[in-house]
């Protein structure tokens, strides 16, 4: 029987599952989606390949779990940042600053790597759906500020946010980048 390094079997299983996800994220970001195999992920996590299947039925299921967990964490951070903010312009500021803090932590790496991979259409559709849901609070704040519900405004602002995240991911200070991005947006809105 394998050694359990947790207070309960459930906690041990949660730790093992989390280790597999962390290992898969590393493999995904370093080598791409096709390298995320049960053998590679198990080896990176320090688990036998057969142990992989106790947690995920396939590499595709693991990739789906990565996507879901990444967006769940980002959504929680955004919800917390927006919880006390009522004024639309302040919601835009809070959303963008939170996105850049998340980018500085590397949390966008899995989604970015997956978007560059050749994935089945349903996986790509799910990533787009989660992305759209995640950006819904920003879109709502933009509508409140501009009175314009045009999706184009959201796409253009999203482009600025994406460029800001790329700068942060390349080492720029998140607060400095947020200040510049928000100055551009305030002048443009």
């Amino acid at each position: 029987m394998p050694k359990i390094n947790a207070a309960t079997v459930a906690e041990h299983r949660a730790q093992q599952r989390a280790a597999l996800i962390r290992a898969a994220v590393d493999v995904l970001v370093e080598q791409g989606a096709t390298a995320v195999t049960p053998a590679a992920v198990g080896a990176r996590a320090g688990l036998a390949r057969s142990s992989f299947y106790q947690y995920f039925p396939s590499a595709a299921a693991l990739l789906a779990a990565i996507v879901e967990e990444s967006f769940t964490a980002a959504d929680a951070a955004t919800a917390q940042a927006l919880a006390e903010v009522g004024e639309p312009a302040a919601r835009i500021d809070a959303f963008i600053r939170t996105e850049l803090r998340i980018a500085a932590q590397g949390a966008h790496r899995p989604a970015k790597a997956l978007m560059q991979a050749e994935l089945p259409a349903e996986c790509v559709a799910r990533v787009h759906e989660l992305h759209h849901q995640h950006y819904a609070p920003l879109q709502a704040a933009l509508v409140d500020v501009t009175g314009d519900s045009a999706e184009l405004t959201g796409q253009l602002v999203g482009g600025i946010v994406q460029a800001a995240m790329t700068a942060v991911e390349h080492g720029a200070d998140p607060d400095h980048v947020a200040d510049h991005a928000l100055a551009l947006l305030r002048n443009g809105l």
Side-chain angles (χ1 to χ4, degrees), residues 37-136:
T37 64
V41 172
R44 177 69 70 99
L47 298 171
R49 179 177 178 244
S50 59
S51 295
F52 174 95
Y53 292 104
Q54 294 176 16
Y55 301 93
F56 299 99
S58 65
L62 176 57
L63 290 173
I66 290 170
V67 169
E68 295 291 337
E69 287 196 13
S70 295
F71 277 101
T72 298
D75 290 347
T78 302
Q80 182 179 2
L82 297 176
E84 301 290 324
V85 182
E87 198 263 317
R91 290 195 327 258
I92 293 169
D93 287 11
F95 183 94
I96 290 172
R97 289 188 185 282
T98 301
E99 282 297 289
L100 297 183
R101 278 194 293 280
I102 292 169
Q105 297 165 358
H108 289 107
R109 296 178 320 142
K112 188 174 184 179
L114 284 171
M115 292 310 292
Q116 296 170 351
E118 291 185 32
L119 297 173
E122 63 274 7
C123 292
V124 173
R126 181 65 177 148
V127 171
H128 285 295
E129 178 186 348
L130 290 167
H131 190 265
H132 181 75
Q133 289 172 1
H134 179 69
Y135 272 80

Side-chain angles (χ1 to χ4, degrees), residues 92 141-142 145-146 153 157 183-189:
I92 293 169
L142 289 169
V145 167
T146 65
T153 301
V157 171
L184 283 171
L185 289 175
R186 288 182 194 120
N187 288 331
L189 295 175

